[in-house]
Amino acid sequence: MKVISVIGHKKTGKTTLVSRLTKELSRTGKVGTVKSMIYHRFNPDDTDTSRHFDSGADMVTALTKDEFVTISKNPDLEKALDTLADNGMDYAIVEGDKNSDLPKILLGDMDDDQHIKNVVEQVPDVTQVNADKIIEIICSQPDWVTLDLLVKKVKNNPEIKKAGAIGTFTGVVREITSGVQTKMLEFEKYETVAEDKINQISLELKQKPGIVDVLIHHKAGRVNPGEDIVYIVVAASHRTELFQTLSEAIERVKSEIPIWKKEITIDGDYWVHDHG
């Protein structure tokens, strides 16, 4: 799933641009949007669903004739994007949330004291937006990938009827290593080289007897303790081949993919070529 954020001051036309991009992108795939509403409440007070929520429910799902709406506690942008990806969206457009690490389209100017990260395009006014250029920028962004999405992709493989088992591996950021606390990891990879190597490993492992499919994804950028780093999904005829191939895939990812990590710990920062 390709992700972009549209930011800017009030009255700069953010919603207009989101609507325009949604219309254009929906011609080639499914589009999901996220509206940042940190100063508002989506579900007004004194409605039935708000009373459910306020009485202690962690999640409330509302059904209307035309809509399916889920309201959940602990709002989180990454969780919202994961939900869109898991539901098969090809594109996600976020309106607002200027403090995220997402790639951003900036409408107008920001205050001089604001440092906005990862602005990939700045446009003075919504009327001057080149939609074709923006869509090209969106399509060039790295994919937003979840484990559920990879499992679904494997299950949609026409050869899945030969599989008797699907196994997954998820690497996460370890917070404590040898008594030292990790505050964050930052992964840097040579995009085309790393992706080519990932594809090569997947293809070679798929040639092994009994292996139906292998998918591998490794995140880049900053990852916090407890968050996911790498996903590996293997479909195989039998569990013996599955576990052997899953283990081999893990070791090959560690040793062959050109990815460096910066460990940011309470004792200092340093780069290493090993993410085990």
Side-chain angles (χ1 to χ4, degrees):
M1 183 178 74
K2 304 295 185 181
V3 181
I4 199 73
S5 177
V6 176
I7 64 170
H9 287 302
K10 290 182 178 180
K11 309 298 183 183
T12 54
K14 297 189 296 294
T15 302
T16 298
L17 179 56
V18 170
S19 299
R20 183 178 176 188
L21 293 175
T22 299
K23 183 177 180 180
E24 294 292 330
L25 290 169
S26 63
R27 295 173 178 170
T28 58
K30 294 182 178 180
V31 184
T33 64
V34 178
K35 172 71 173 180
S36 181
M37 301 172 62
I38 59 174
Y39 301 112
H40 305 275
R41 179 169 181 173
F42 179 79
N43 202 35
D45 292 334
D46 298 324
T47 61
D48 290 344
T49 50
S50 72
R51 291 171 64 188
H52 294 181
F53 197 64
D54 292 339
S55 66
D58 291 301
M59 182 176 290
V60 177
T61 298
L63 295 174
T64 72
K65 184 170 70 83
D66 302 310
E67 299 165 319
F68 173 83
V69 180
T70 298
I71 305 164
S72 176
K73 291 183 177 179
N74 302 316
D76 180 85
L77 178 58
E78 183 170 335
K79 184 165 61 175
L81 291 171
D82 285 349
T83 299
L84 293 180
D86 290 342
N87 280 277
M89 296 301 107
D90 299 296
Y91 309 97
I93 307 174
V94 179
E95 182 177 340
D97 220 316
K98 63 180 180 293
N99 295 320
S100 73
D101 291 329
L102 297 176
K104 301 174 184 69
I105 307 300
L106 172 60
L107 290 176
D109 297 314
M110 281 293 173
D111 297 332
D112 292 338
D113 60 345
Q114 288 186 309
H115 177 64
I116 308 300
K117 295 175 288 187
N118 205 9
V119 174
V120 294
E121 182 75 3
Q122 183 172 3
V123 183
D125 185 84
V126 69
T127 61
Q128 301 180 45
V129 168
N130 182 330
D132 291 338
K133 181 180 180 182
I134 299 299
I135 290 173
E136 185 177 335
I137 291 172
I138 294 172
C139 293
S140 69
Q141 299 307 312
D143 286 324
W144 187 280
V145 176
T146 69
L147 180 60
D148 283 350
L149 183 64
L150 294 182
V151 172
K152 288 178 182 178
K153 187 174 181 180
V154 166
K155 287 184 175 181
N156 287 332
N157 185 328
E159 298 296 309
I160 195 64
K161 57 188 175 183
K162 300 178 182 178
I166 295 174
T168 71
F169 170 82
T170 302
V172 301
V173 177
R174 184 171 47 242
E175 184 171 358
I176 304 295
T177 303
S178 301
V180 177
Q181 181 180 3
T182 296
K183 297 191 292 184
M184 182 190 304
L185 296 183
E186 185 173 327
F187 292 93
E188 183 177 296
K189 61 182 178 181
Y190 295 109
E191 284 295 340
T192 55
V193 177
E195 293 306 320
D196 287 348
K197 191 61 182 178
I198 287 174
N199 291 335
Q200 179 187 337
I201 293 172
S202 299
L203 287 172
E204 290 177 358
L205 292 177
K206 284 170 64 174
Q207 305 307 311
K208 296 169 68 70
I211 300 303
V212 176
D213 206 352
V214 177
L215 294 179
I216 300 170
H217 174 72
H218 197 298
K219 290 185 179 181
R222 299 184 299 177
V223 188
N224 296 314
E227 293 182 344
D228 300 343
I229 305 168
V230 59
Y231 301 129
I232 302 175
V233 181
V234 176
S237 298
H238 303 91
R239 62 182 181 274
T240 301
E241 298 100 319
L242 186 151
F243 290 128
Q244 290 174 345
T245 302
L246 191 58
S247 178
E248 182 178 343
I250 295 166
E251 297 306 317
R252 292 190 64 177
V253 167
K254 285 169 58 68
S255 63
E256 298 180 27
I257 298 178
I259 296 177
W260 284 258
K261 74 174 179 183
K262 184 178 185 180
E263 295 196 9
I264 303 171
T265 75
I266 59 174
D267 291 345
D269 306 346
Y270 50 94
W271 288 93
V272 294
H273 180 78
D274 174 27
H275 40 83

